[in-house]
Amino acid sequence: MLKKVQKVGIVCYPTYGGSGVVATELGMSLAKLGFEIHFISYRRPARLGIFQSNVFYHEVPSFEYPLFEFKPFDTALASKIVEVCLSENIQILHVHYAIPHATIAFLVREILKTKNIYLPIITTLHGTDITLVGVDPSFYPVVEFSINQSDGVTAVSEALAAQTYLTFDIKNKIKVIPNFIDFDRFYRKREEGLRRSFAKDEEKILIHISNFRKVKRIDDILKVFAIVKSKIPSKLLLVGDGPERVALTIMAKELNIERDVIFTGKQDSVEDLLAVSDCFLLTSDHESFGLAALEAMACEVPVVSTNAGGLREVNEDGFSGFTCNVGDIQALSDAVLKIILDQETLNQFKKNAKVQAQKFDIKIVLKEYIDYYNEIYNI
Ligand code: GMT
């Protein structure tokens, strides 16, 4: 008789990054189905609303002591997880982003073993934990060891799973469970008023949403926009914030497009901005999945992206948009123009974008996580 998982501990980064968003949405959706979900993080995750039944949040305390130049966060996190697992009888620990969470989870499992408890661990790999940070020699051996120690490992795309096998000597099987979208939140609302606050009726709106890191190559988006704007009146919404923002504002001036580029800063209701947009741009040189592109497609916004990593699995070339080689400004600009120049074509791409997004409906993907929890719990 299979035992069913009911109480899940979820560890994630609380920031605006995609891994925290996926972890939060997953936990909240499981809670709606009756699972008891305990989030453990150093700050309340960005998308965790004020109160929801079956959702609990446990904060890792910050510890100050003059001896420490770096706070021993990992130790505090491990101690908090042990405390929560013991007091709440957690049955499975699901950690998002390998560094340092998979390592901490291993330590927690060892501590609990001394109390005759076996806590199965699932690690979900999100991308930069493998492609950027994980490969750094300062982390490599620990990341490899920790992934191999997890009872279950998932990756958010086939491309990321393949990359992980290439990068590390992985002994366990990586299960691919793609990221997902909740259509109750992400759909195309009619927002004519908001649209007019950004653009005139004859103008098209291009949009990009991210944390403005180098990996996103937003400078390519500005170059593409300069070409597109010379062919069709348009505006570019750059939503988010991060280390590249200042350089981008300077570049927009140099390209003489600054009056048509709108930096909105970080936004919580990105679906409202997507609902007024005609084309989403994602020009990253690495992207394990591209959750922002999926959110755009769910709001009927076609996507022009690079073909890096998992983007090809998310954005179907020629259907929901186009995928182009990294840094190919001409191809990216041509792709945008192919979609937006003619209204009938644009309408078709908008419909297709939604059809493509439906493959990642949370109702389908959630079941995959639940089945995997039960499989790992019963090993
Ligand atoms: O890329 C980011 O901006 C954040 C990063 C993260 O770790 O939070 O996102 C990664 O995880 C997302 C959720 O699974 C994926 O959709 C992103 O593609 C992935 N980012 C990269 O691979 C660069």
Side-chain angles (χ1 to χ4, degrees):
M1 170 76 173
L2 283 186
K3 295 175 286 168
K4 289 222 163 143
V5 172
Q6 223 277 316
K7 292 181 174 213
V8 183
I10 293 185
V11 179
C12 66
Y13 283 104
T15 43
Y16 274 80
S19 63
V21 170
V22 170
T24 313
E25 305 269 344
L26 173 64
M28 293 196 308
S29 306
L30 289 168
K32 280 188 198 145
L33 293 181
F35 286 79
E36 190 178 303
I37 304 295
H38 292 264
F39 285 98
I40 305 157
S41 193
Y42 60 83
R43 205 183 324 125
R44 184 177 279 278
R47 286 198 184 175
L48 200 60
I50 25 174
F51 177 78
Q52 192 192 318
S53 302
N54 300 329
V55 174
F56 301 87
Y57 166 60
H58 307 268
E59 192 157 283
V60 181
S62 168
F63 185 81
E64 303 284 349
Y65 188 66
L67 179 70
F68 301 136
E69 205 171 322
F70 302 103
K71 288 181 194 170
F73 169 72
D74 296 4
T75 310
L77 176 61
S79 299
K80 178 53 87 180
I81 301 174
V82 168
E83 175 201 310
V84 172
C85 288
L86 287 174
S87 62
E88 307 295 339
N89 299 317
I90 299 297
Q91 294 165 299
I92 207 151
L93 186 66
H94 186 179
V95 302
H96 290 259
Y97 207 88
I99 305 166
H101 299 147
T103 315
I104 301 302
F106 164 72
L107 174 61
V108 167
R109 195 181 63 198
E110 290 306 299
I111 295 170
L112 292 176
K113 268 190 206 166
T114 67
K115 300 178 190 305
N116 296 322
I117 295 170
Y118 190 87
L119 177 71
I121 305 161
I122 293 177
T123 297
T124 290
L125 308 174
H126 278 276
T128 47
D129 44 356
I130 300 302
T131 53
L132 287 181
V133 194
V135 287
D136 190 292
S138 16
F139 297 115
Y140 188 95
V142 176
V143 174
E144 183 181 78
F145 172 83
S146 309
I147 294 173
N148 279 326
Q149 286 297 322
S150 294
D151 300 272
V153 182
T154 76
V156 297
S157 63
E158 296 288 349
L160 180 60
Q163 186 63 44
T164 309
Y165 285 123
L166 268 181
T167 312
F168 299 101
D169 184 11
I170 298 297
K171 310 280 184 220
N172 37 13
K173 185 173 166 0
I174 300 175
K175 180 162 177 70
V176 175
I177 303 185
N179 289 334
F180 48 79
I181 191 81
D182 184 350
F183 282 93
D184 288 344
R185 172 171 173 196
F186 287 92
Y187 62 93
R188 197 168 184 96
K189 295 176 199 150
R190 301 296 146 207
E191 294 274 13
E192 287 315 314
L194 182 61
R195 189 179 166 100
R196 287 207 184 97
S197 69
F198 294 123
K200 299 191 190 102
D201 286 351
E202 67 279 15
E203 287 177 318
K204 293 286 182 267
I205 299 182
L206 313 190
I207 185 168
H208 167 80
I209 304 174
S210 78
N211 48 20
F212 287 37
R213 287 179 299 130
K214 259 214 151 30
V215 68
K216 305 288 173 186
R217 294 180 68 108
I218 306 177
D219 46 338
D220 283 359
I221 294 182
L222 291 182
K223 291 179 201 159
V224 167
F225 179 64
I227 296 176
V228 170
K229 204 185 95 60
S230 70
K231 308 273 183 212
I232 181 166
S234 38
K235 290 280 193 287
L236 172 64
L237 302 185
L238 289 179
V239 184
D241 207 343
E244 292 299 296
R245 177 167 176 170
V246 175
L248 292 167
T249 51
I250 295 169
M251 189 177 169
K253 279 200 188 104
E254 284 167 1
L255 290 170
N256 204 17
I257 51 174
E258 81 269 25
R259 273 187 308 274
D260 297 307
V261 179
I262 301 155
F263 288 87
T264 68
K266 283 183 188 170
Q267 297 290 326
D268 284 329
S269 303
V270 287
E271 61 275 28
D272 295 339
L273 297 172
L274 288 168
V276 301
S277 302
D278 299 298
C279 185
F280 184 86
L281 285 159
L282 192 56
T283 50
S284 317
D285 53 31
H286 287 82
E287 202 68 64
S288 66
F289 186 88
L291 185 61
L294 176 58
E295 292 178 345
M297 293 187 318
C299 296
E300 296 173 39
V301 185
V303 173
V304 169
S305 70
T306 56
N307 51 20
L311 280 172
R312 264 183 296 198
E313 294 163 52
V314 178
N315 180 21
E316 197 184 318
D317 189 41
F319 182 69
S320 52
F322 291 101
T323 57
C324 309
N325 289 336
V326 174
D328 191 339
I329 305 299
Q330 195 56 54
L332 288 159
S333 315
D334 290 347
V336 174
L337 290 168
K338 248 190 242 171
I339 294 173
I340 65 170
L341 267 180
D342 164 58
Q343 191 59 41
E344 224 173 276
T345 313
L346 176 58
N347 291 344
Q348 187 58 52
F349 270 102
K350 283 183 173 176
K351 276 191 200 139
N352 295 354
K354 186 173 172 193
V355 170
Q356 175 68 1
Q358 280 162 341
K359 293 183 187 162
F360 302 91
D361 191 328
I362 191 165
K363 295 190 181 84
I364 303 168
V365 180
L366 203 57
K367 190 177 172 317
E368 290 193 49
Y369 270 115
I370 295 171
D371 289 349
Y372 194 57
Y373 284 175
N374 288 327
E375 179 189 325
I376 296 301
Y377 187 52
N378 283 284
I379 284 176

